[in-house]
Amino acid sequence: KKCDGVRLYPLLAFAFSVTMMCVPLYSTLLSTKSSLMMNGNKLGEKFTRGRGLYEPKTVLIKTRKVLSETVEVVVSRYWEDVRWTNKLNNSTKVSVYNRGEELDYEVPGATIKLSNFPYGREAHTMLYHILSNYESLSDWTVFTQGDPFPHSPEFINLVNAGFNASSLLSSGFQCLTCQYLPEIPGGDNQGCNASNNVPVVYKISSRSAQVTGSPHDSGVADIMREHSIDTRVVKDLLLGSILKSIGMYRGQGLLNFCFSAIFAVHRDNILQHPKALYEKLMIQYFADAPSNPAGESSDKWNCSEEAPWCKGKRRAGYIYERLW
């Protein structure tokens, strides 16, 4: 799973929501462009001419008190031991999406069985959860893989304490990781030890998906090349083409991102985009998904391995993980 966790986060990372104060964009949240959950703009919003960058005069910030809001931890499991979920606050809702063998131990909350179809990954789990719960999301959703600790040693403490309430919390998106793996230094030699286990927001190229200030990662380059072949899109334009296909154009530059698909996002950030957008992302995830699978329920995306179309694009999960 060597390149599993590199993640941009445009898709869910920014909501224009009911607020208490107005502040300039660049002085508060970001010094670079970003993506859909962190500061993806609403469809149809005005862009700065010629730059492909959404630049409102102000950003409305809502002061959030996480511990007084509902929190749900969504776990994407294959083989991992997820008994650690029993250490979360009793008030935290837990949903374990399980692609592996049936659990022989108790976990709090619900266990949802997902088909282990070819190339099904965390990104499919995340989209499935959003589509299944779009009208009933918790105030905060924490997405994580089954073993978050190599990427975030203090994961349980962060969640139980309300995500460490850093400056990004006011945007409705909070990265919860500080590294990919302990033996692989992050960009600019950052990592969990260097940051005292505090979440780290890294920078990544929107063309190559490589971490800035870090050695070239041939695994990431291979993923981009293979997905370029599968989608027939020039690899330097892959990330932008996905966003453009769902009505979100962005220019080239640096993106903020956090490692390993582990982050907290507010409901407002998810609901800033219509449900149809996530449906389209799900359709594009599959290698040959029918345009209108039978049935209106989101459960149609929990397809059987026997279904001839039930196969993800071989690198779609990795690419989506760079876009949250």
Side-chain angles (χ1 to χ4, degrees):
K1 299 183 72 173
K2 198 124 179 169
C3 298
D4 243 14
V6 179
R7 165 155 290 109
L8 306 183
Y9 45 73
L11 293 182
L12 296 179
F14 187 81
F16 293 86
S17 55
V18 180
T19 69
M20 297 180 64
M21 58 184 290
C22 295
V23 287
L25 176 63
Y26 295 110
S27 65
T28 39
L29 302 181
L30 307 171
S31 59
T32 61
K33 295 171 274 184
S34 226
S35 354
L36 194 147
M37 284 198 189
M38 189 170 85
N39 73 335
N41 44 285
K42 294 180 181 178
L43 303 184
E45 291 283 10
K46 181 181 178 183
F47 285 85
T48 302
R49 184 178 301 275
R51 294 182 60 191
L53 170 62
Y54 181 66
E55 282 191 294
K57 296 295 184 183
T58 59
V59 173
L60 300 177
I61 302 299
K62 179 179 179 180
T63 301
R64 304 197 186 280
K65 297 180 180 178
V66 175
L67 295 179
S68 65
E69 296 184 293
T70 58
V71 176
E72 178 174 9
V73 174
V74 173
V75 183
S76 180
R77 178 193 182 267
Y78 177 47
W79 55 267
E80 302 92 343
D81 186 336
V82 293
R83 277 176 280 203
W84 56 263
T85 55
N86 289 291
K87 298 179 181 179
L88 296 169
N89 289 337
N90 291 335
S91 59
T92 299
K93 181 179 179 180
V94 176
S95 296
V96 176
Y97 288 86
N98 183 26
R99 296 184 189 275
E101 295 181 0
E102 186 174 347
L103 301 180
D104 59 1
Y105 49 84
E106 295 293 322
V107 295
T111 302
I112 302 95
K113 181 65 176 176
L114 286 183
S115 167
N116 189 32
F117 63 86
Y119 306 113
R121 296 184 53 78
E122 293 101 325
H124 172 267
T125 301
M126 294 158 73
L127 287 171
Y128 183 82
H129 178 81
I130 290 171
L131 289 169
S132 301
N133 300 276
Y134 187 82
E135 293 82 11
S136 57
L137 292 163
S138 297
D139 293 326
W140 288 91
T141 301
V142 176
F143 289 107
T144 180
Q145 53 191 248
D147 181 11
F149 304 108
H151 321 290
S152 181
E154 295 297 318
F155 177 78
I156 291 175
N157 291 335
L158 286 170
V159 174
N160 285 347
F163 320 141
N164 200 37
S166 77
S167 60
L168 278 180
L169 199 58
S170 58
S171 74
F173 185 95
Q174 176 62 62
C175 178
L176 295 175
T177 59
C178 41
Q179 63 190 12
Y180 176 48
L181 291 175
E183 62 271 23
I184 301 177
D188 300 320
N189 296 315
Q190 296 185 82
C192 293
N193 289 336
S195 68
N196 295 319
N197 293 319
V198 173
V200 176
V201 177
Y202 291 86
K203 299 285 189 285
I204 200 166
S205 166
S206 63
R207 296 178 66 89
S208 67
Q210 296 284 343
V211 183
T212 62
S214 182
H216 179 81
D217 190 327
S218 59
V220 172
D222 289 343
I223 288 169
M224 296 288 282
R225 177 181 54 79
E226 291 171 9
H227 197 64
S228 173
I229 293 171
D230 290 349
T231 59
R232 299 181 181 180
V233 175
V234 177
K235 63 182 178 64
D236 285 354
L237 303 179
L238 273 177
L239 303 184
S241 71
I242 294 173
L243 295 179
K244 189 173 182 179
S245 74
I246 54 175
M248 295 179 61
Y249 177 74
R250 59 155 296 101
Q252 301 297 332
L254 296 179
L255 300 174
N256 289 328
F257 84 106
C258 58
F259 278 113
S260 305
I262 300 170
F263 58 84
V265 60
H266 197 271
R267 179 183 59 234
D268 293 348
N269 290 41
I270 297 174
L271 298 183
Q272 69 175 308
H273 306 294
K275 190 174 182 179
L277 181 147
Y278 300 104
E279 185 95 357
K280 187 170 184 178
L281 284 170
M282 184 69 97
I283 291 171
Q284 293 181 7
Y285 187 91
F286 286 92
D288 190 28
S291 57
N292 186 24
E296 293 304 315
S297 168
S298 59
D299 199 51
K300 63 191 174 187
W301 298 115
N302 188 13
C303 56
S304 167
E305 298 98 307
E306 286 73 39
W309 62 271
C310 191
K311 178 181 178 181
K313 292 186 179 76
R314 55 180 175 161
R315 295 304 191 186
Y318 293 94
I319 299 298
Y320 277 35
E321 287 174 11
R322 288 151 175 79
L323 288 172
W324 297 120

